[in-house]
Amino acid sequence: MTQTNIPDSPPSNSPSPATTALVIGAGQAGGPLAGALAGAGWHVTLIEREHVGGTCVNEGCTPTKAMIASARAAHVARRSGALGVSAGPVAVDLNGIVDRVQGIVRDFREGSRAGVLKAGVELLDGQARFTGVRQVEVTLNDGGTRQLSAEYVFINVGASPRMPDLPGVQDVGAMTSRDLLLLRDLPTHLLILGGGYISLEFAQLYARLGSRVTVVEHGERLLSHEDEDVANALQAVLEDEGVTFLLGAEALQTQREGDEITLEIRRDGETQTLTGSHLLVAVGRTPNTSGLNVEATGAKLGQHGEIQVDGHLRAAENVYALGDVKGGPAFTHISYDDHRIVRDALLRGSGREVGGRPVPYTLFTDPQLGRVGLDRQGARKLGRPTRIYTLPMSSVARAIETGETAGLMRAVVDDATDLLLGATVLGHEGGEVMSALQLAMMGGLRGADLRDATLAHPTLCESINNLFMGKPETLSGTEDSG
Ligand SMILES: Cc1cc2nc3c(=O)[nH]c(=O)nc-3n(C[C@H](O)[C@H](O)[C@H](O)COP(=O)(O)OP(=O)(O)OC[C@H]3O[C@@H](n4cnc5c(N)ncnc54)[C@H](O)[C@@H]3O)c2cc1C
């Protein structure tokens, strides 16, 4: 998120019923905010060009996690022999999987739409663009335009997959994450450009469904924001399941040849041509600001097209930007929390800012990677001593019992206070265990409290005891400063 300074809006914690608002985009902030403001007596118009619920519900979290559940079922059935159970040959029905996933999406979407309407929000199906200060023109989906203005404007237009500047990419039928979720024929060989979080979830998912998968990544290693041993452990798991990684690879061009797509890459100084049936482009996402003309309302764009905001999410006087469109961590829970910050400022006089809030996340590979706060590489640069506790999942009783021993748990504590500064859990249900450690952080628990806590046996979380019973590595916090 880019920080900028906006003068304070007029006091507005007791808005009159006549206060008017436009909410552009019904994502994870726009819908809930529109409902909350309408519930407080505001007149709210919500403008959505496609689906209420936005990316998460329609083409992000919900469909991917529902589909990952099917892929895991196939994986568990295939490896059931290791647990002494014979499941027979595994057949994947992609049509059935997509039907199930899209059914869940439809329910969530309809629920979101019904929710905003029930809250008394005026919902316009159309595309908004600014024409002046807090003035927009809406091109309605069923024809015609409307000119609207309001005292407050909230922008929650999200982001879209970025297409790289790769010769041929527009002509080969390259797919985005959104397209892939609707595909009903299993790719024989899925090439994935980019090795980030979205890429890795799809790589494992399609490998488990039965596709050959090759990931082409520019960086020399995966997930540079994570500790190297964690990224390497996850790579090893995916390789074990048949995913091929070509790291340090530069994509040069792509072409369609009949049913096949070729991708030319340069790696270690040599040119190599890969051939696949499908190409997924997963090289990042771009804020949906092109054509929005936000400058007309006094907002400024950063160099990646993100709307610049201050700590209270203000982009201009009485204009706010929430969620992915402001840049920074692009997660559903962050967008949702943005709505709480703005709602509480306007309706309850709260002064909470975005700075300092925890930014947890989970990568839904299997094992999951759950992360909050500092990891080991962050602790190296902290500037004060820390202790790093690491426990391999192969030492976790519950993981051994269930045959899910890949990964590790890691916690960083402040050496002086014993307070938790961060947790990384690569393991079965790693996101859940990380969340338990996040709650401990939020509650101000110390490493010693967690070591001595009585936790139910044999849960994964019980091994938090063992994590803090181990011998920690001590870091001075100045390891990377020269
Ligand atoms: C494949 C994938 C998997 C993901 N998995 C996770 C996950 O597991 N966990 C997680 O936390 N996050 C995940 N994310 C990220 C998450 O989906 C987003 O961070 C989240 O949806 C927040 O988005 P938002 O509220 O900023 O906007 P969005 O949800 O993107 O909503 C923006 C809305 O604005 C509308 N819009 C855009 N422009 C206009 C306009 N001019 N006029 C009117 N309407 C407009 C769009 O149609 C859209 O409905 C995933 C994303 C993807 C792509």
Side-chain angles (χ1 to χ4, degrees), residues 24-29 47-51 54-56 59-61 64-65 126-128 156-159 177 198 202 285 288 292 323-324 330-333 335 364:
I24 305 175
Q28 292 303 306
I47 305 151
E48 169 53 51
R49 69 181 178 189
E50 200 173 7
H51 302 302
T55 305
C56 180
E59 61 209 47
C61 332
T64 50
K65 275 71 225 182
Q127 168 130 352
N156 177 225
V157 294
S177 53
I198 289 177
F202 277 110
R285 293 174 59 82
N288 287 328
L292 194 60
D324 294 1
F331 299 110
T332 283
H333 42 281
S335 182
F364 285 86

Side-chain angles (χ1 to χ4, degrees), residues 20 51 100 108 165 186 198 227 273 301 310 322 347 368 378 398 402 410 437 446 455:
T20 54
H51 302 302
R100 171 183 175 270
F108 282 22
D165 190 14
L186 195 65
I198 289 177
D227 282 344
T273 302
L301 293 182
D310 68 9
L322 306 89
L347 301 182
Q368 293 171 7
R398 174 78 185 151
T402 54
R410 173 164 292 151
L437 287 164
R446 292 165 204 277
L455 299 167

Side-chain angles (χ1 to χ4, degrees), residues 146-315:
R146 276 202 40 198
Q147 313 296 327
L148 300 169
S149 62
E151 291 158 79
Y152 286 85
V153 174
F154 306 95
I155 308 170
N156 177 225
V157 294
S160 298
R162 184 168 75 76
M163 272 293 153
D165 190 14
L166 172 71
V169 77
Q170 302 293 348
D171 310 320
V172 295
M175 306 184 94
T176 64
S177 53
R178 178 186 174 124
D179 306 321
L180 201 56
L181 287 163
L182 298 171
L183 193 69
R184 286 174 182 268
D185 296 313
L186 195 65
T188 48
H189 185 184
L190 178 63
L191 304 173
I192 307 183
L193 198 55
Y197 299 83
I198 289 177
S199 159
L200 297 185
E201 287 187 5
F202 277 110
Q204 185 180 45
L205 157 57
Y206 275 89
R208 286 182 166 188
L209 294 181
S211 297
R212 188 177 154 204
V213 178
T214 303
V215 176
V216 174
E217 160 59 35
H218 197 258
E220 293 296 333
R221 76 164 175 96
L222 293 177
L223 305 180
S224 56
H225 294 296
E226 309 297 340
D227 282 344
E228 193 163 0
D229 57 344
V230 171
N232 290 345
L234 182 57
Q235 181 178 340
V237 170
L238 268 58
E239 282 174 341
D240 260 10
E241 293 190 21
V243 177
T244 302
F245 289 97
L246 299 174
L247 303 180
E250 184 192 356
L252 300 175
Q253 60 160 320
T254 179
Q255 279 182 13
R256 176 163 283 283
E257 291 177 9
D259 286 346
E260 295 189 323
I261 295 175
T262 60
L263 178 64
E264 193 176 291
I265 63 167
R266 187 181 301 119
R267 193 164 173 249
D268 297 330
E270 295 195 355
T271 303
Q272 192 180 337
T273 302
L274 311 172
T275 305
S277 58
H278 295 74
L279 174 64
L280 167 66
V281 174
V283 294
R285 293 174 59 82
T286 307
N288 287 328
T289 48
S290 95
L292 194 60
N293 196 26
V294 291
E295 291 85 352
T297 199
K300 293 198 182 79
L301 293 182
Q303 58 175 341
H304 302 294
E306 75 281 12
I307 298 179
Q308 298 190 339
V309 293
D310 68 9
H312 300 278
L313 300 167
R314 291 175 301 199

